[in-house]
Every structure is written in structure tokens, then in C-alpha cells.
Amino acid sequence: MFDRLQSVEDRYDRLNELLSDPEIVNDMNKFRALSKEQSDLQYIVDAYREHKLVKEQHAEARAMLDDKLDAEMREMVKEEMNDLASQIVELEERLKLLLIPKDPNDDKNVIMEIRGAAGGDEAALFAGNLFRMYSRYAEAQGWKINIMDASPTVIGGYKEVIFMIKGQGAYSKLKYENGAHRVQRVPETESGGRTHTSTATVACLPEVEEVEVDIHENDIRTDTYASSGAGGQSVNTTMSAVRLTHIPTGTVVTCQDEKSQIKNKASAMVVLRARVADKFRQEAQAEYDAVRKSAVGTGDRSERIRTYNYPQNRVTDHRVGLTIQKLDQIMEGKLDEIVNVLIVTDQTERLERMNETNV
């Protein structure tokens, strides 16, 4: 581990030199990429240097015990050594976590897609509830939301809503939301007071830059049509809505939220790149997932990940066995308690896997 840490520190020092090179400073793309790399290494290097300093202090304290000290001073030195030893253990545990390979998508913006699934109108209403929940969470994080496409229903909610969340670390916190979300509650339309079960699916995709996925213009079929609103009512008589089909993968994206066909096509391309890239990622990881499944799931859209029980004010995340009696707060976007458990579980599982590889 410490050989790797020293390599990281050496690379960090080299980056400092490069970022002072006039040739690099004048090349904005290189300067931006190297600055990003340096920023990513900062936390590891700071923790490693603190670890080295504490170890030096511990060695100095141990050396003092060889001197002729009175009983009181010797006891003080031993107490300091114990404190320093505890700090060393804590720092080494922290360094292990920092050395876990970072998901390259963690700092990216997020494209979220929520769809009502089983349950008809109630599923669409629940999809609307989830959209509101994620919107509140994003606002609390200081992120921005941009609706890219939506199919609202007459009674409220959405058959489908696609939106982008822009902000530092958005994907790192929302990537665990992939899957089927189940709701148990008494629908407003239920006269007998019976609890119904409905579901909505959530897809969370990192935004993909053009250079990250190779999509040729000739592989895309573009169709235009008039936008429509809830219940099929016309909201735009011009052919502003856009449907893009990526022929090699069969991926289809529609966008009608903007009144401009150009803007709708641009938004649709953002979603198309993300979906095609996600399809390639899913295929590449399929073999691994068949052998070993992560504690927080594979991100399969069909996997039921969470249940929202309204009568009991309860939320249960089935992947980690977490149950919280705070449904009302969760639906207001207070997701940190769930998100933090999922992050720690994922880090622990990846650390165990890394240790197994190193054995």
C-alpha cells in the first residue's frame, strides 16, 4: 500500500511542476486535465503526508524513552505514544479507502429517467412523487435541474420524465438509484381504503461527452412530429418534437419539452449518448455481474431496490437491509441517510474485493 502511496505523491509533485510549465499553461485542455488530476490526488497526498508526520512523531517519542526521564515524564511520553498510535491506525484505514479506484463518472452531471411501471395511474403519480423527491434533494445539494422531456398524465404525475441534474458529485450520490422503486399506499381513487402496490423505475446515467462515445451521424434516424401534452392534447402545432433512433443498438430517444426543434434535438442527443454509453457499460460488466454481484446491486432496471410504505411511514432499501421510519422526510428530499449507507457499503465491498485481489 505504501509503495502505491509514494507513487501517488511522486505523481502529485510532478503535476505541480507541469502546471508551472508555460507550454502547459498556454494549452487550456492540457492544463484543465492536469489540474483535475492534481485535484483528485490532493486528498490522498494530504492524508499520506499527515500519516508520515504522525509516524515521525511516534518514532521521536519512542526515542525519548531511551533518555533518562523521571517517572512523570515517562508516563506522559507513553500516553502521547498511545495517542499517536491511534492516529496512525485511523489514518491507515482512511488511506485504504482513498486508494479505492475512483469511479471516473463520479464528478459528472446526471441524466435521470423516471417511468411509471406497474399500477397504472397510481404508478404515474408515484413517478411524480419520485421526481419531486430527487428535485428537493438536488436543491439541498446546490445542484441545478433541467427537464429534458416529460409525459405528464391528466390526473398528475408522469408516465415518463427525463431530466438532467447538474452539479459537483451528482452522479457519485445518485448512481445507486437505478432500479425499481415500489410504493405501498391507499390511492386517492380507492374508496375501500385498501393498500395498493405500484412501481416506478429509475435510471441514473452519467452525462457523456461527444468524445467519450463514438456515434456516427449516419447511424441516427431523425423523425420530427408535433408535441403533445397530458392525455394527448396538442400543445404545439409545429413539428418541434424530435425522435432519434440509434440504429446499431435500437436505442430510441424522444424530446418535446422545448418549442424549438433544434433545442429538442440537442437535448435528445445528450440523452442518446448517455443511453448508448450505458448500454455498452452494461454489456461490458454483464460477465462480471454473473460471477459476483455488488452489495448495492448491479444497476439493473428490473431489480427492486426500495419500498416506500406510506401507512407505516417506512422506507426500506432491500440491497443493504436498511429500514427508516422517516418516509415523510425522505419524500421531501432528505436522502442523505440512505445515500451515505449505500456509499459506505459500496466502498467496503470494493475494498474487500481489492484485498482479495492483492492476496
Side-chain angles (χ1 to χ4, degrees), residues 98-355:
L98 288 171
L99 280 176
I100 296 173
K102 186 179 178 181
D103 185 336
N105 294 316
D106 275 353
D107 292 331
K108 292 185 177 180
N109 298 326
V110 173
I111 296 171
M112 295 196 78
E113 305 178 359
I114 304 175
R115 296 179 178 85
D121 288 342
E122 175 64 10
L125 288 172
F126 181 49
N129 296 146
L130 290 177
F131 172 63
R132 181 177 180 275
M133 178 184 77
Y134 291 124
S135 297
R136 289 293 181 90
Y137 180 65
E139 289 168 6
Q141 301 294 315
W143 301 333
K144 293 183 179 180
I145 300 169
N146 176 38
I147 296 179
M148 306 178 78
D149 195 29
S151 299
T153 61
V154 176
I155 64 169
Y158 296 95
K159 292 179 182 176
E160 176 184 75
V161 57
I162 301 173
F163 55 103
M164 179 178 285
I165 297 179
K166 296 182 177 181
Q168 183 69 29
Y171 184 74
S172 69
K173 293 187 175 182
L174 291 171
K175 63 184 176 182
Y176 306 108
E177 298 303 300
N178 278 322
H181 295 239
R182 180 175 69 173
V183 62
Q184 295 173 328
R185 64 184 177 188
V186 179
E188 294 178 10
T189 55
E190 172 56 55
S191 57
R194 293 174 300 176
T195 298
H196 286 225
T197 298
S198 305
T199 58
T201 61
V202 175
C204 182
L205 312 176
E207 183 184 16
V208 177
E209 301 293 334
E210 281 189 63
V211 295
E212 295 179 66
V213 59
D214 192 15
I215 296 181
H216 298 288
E217 191 69 31
N218 292 338
D219 290 336
I220 301 173
R221 185 176 70 242
T222 302
D223 300 304
T224 58
Y225 56 99
S227 302
S228 61
Q233 65 194 40
S234 177
V235 296
N236 189 351
T237 56
T238 63
M239 305 293 279
S240 61
V242 173
R243 180 188 300 111
L244 300 182
T245 303
H246 184 243
I247 299 169
T249 62
T251 304
V252 180
V253 175
T254 61
C255 190
Q256 62 175 1
D257 204 56
E258 300 284 350
K259 293 182 179 180
S260 162
Q261 185 183 119
I262 295 175
K263 290 183 178 179
N264 279 329
K265 185 174 182 180
S267 293
M269 274 301 301
V270 171
V271 177
L272 184 69
R273 280 197 296 270
R275 286 191 188 172
V276 171
D278 182 64
K279 181 178 177 65
F280 292 154
R281 278 193 299 270
Q282 295 274 345
E283 290 174 353
Q285 196 162 339
E287 184 177 345
Y288 167 79
D289 289 339
V291 177
R292 178 168 186 160
K293 191 175 181 181
S294 168
V296 294
T298 62
D300 190 326
R301 311 291 181 256
S302 65
E303 179 186 15
R304 189 189 72 194
I305 64 167
R306 197 174 296 148
T307 295
Y308 304 73
N309 186 298
Y310 276 71
Q312 298 179 24
N313 195 37
R314 184 185 73 225
V315 176
T316 299
D317 195 290
H318 304 289
R319 297 164 294 180
V320 291
L322 175 68
T323 296
I324 303 175
Q325 303 288 154
K326 302 175 183 176
L327 173 64
D328 52 342
Q329 296 180 36
I330 297 296
M331 298 312 293
E332 287 299 317
K334 297 179 180 179
L335 290 170
D336 282 331
E337 191 170 348
I338 295 177
V339 170
N340 290 340
V341 170
L342 292 170
I343 289 174
V344 170
T345 302
D346 185 34
Q347 288 179 335
T348 302
E349 199 274 341
R350 290 166 65 192
L351 182 58
E352 290 174 355
R353 190 161 67 243
M354 191 169 70
N355 290 338

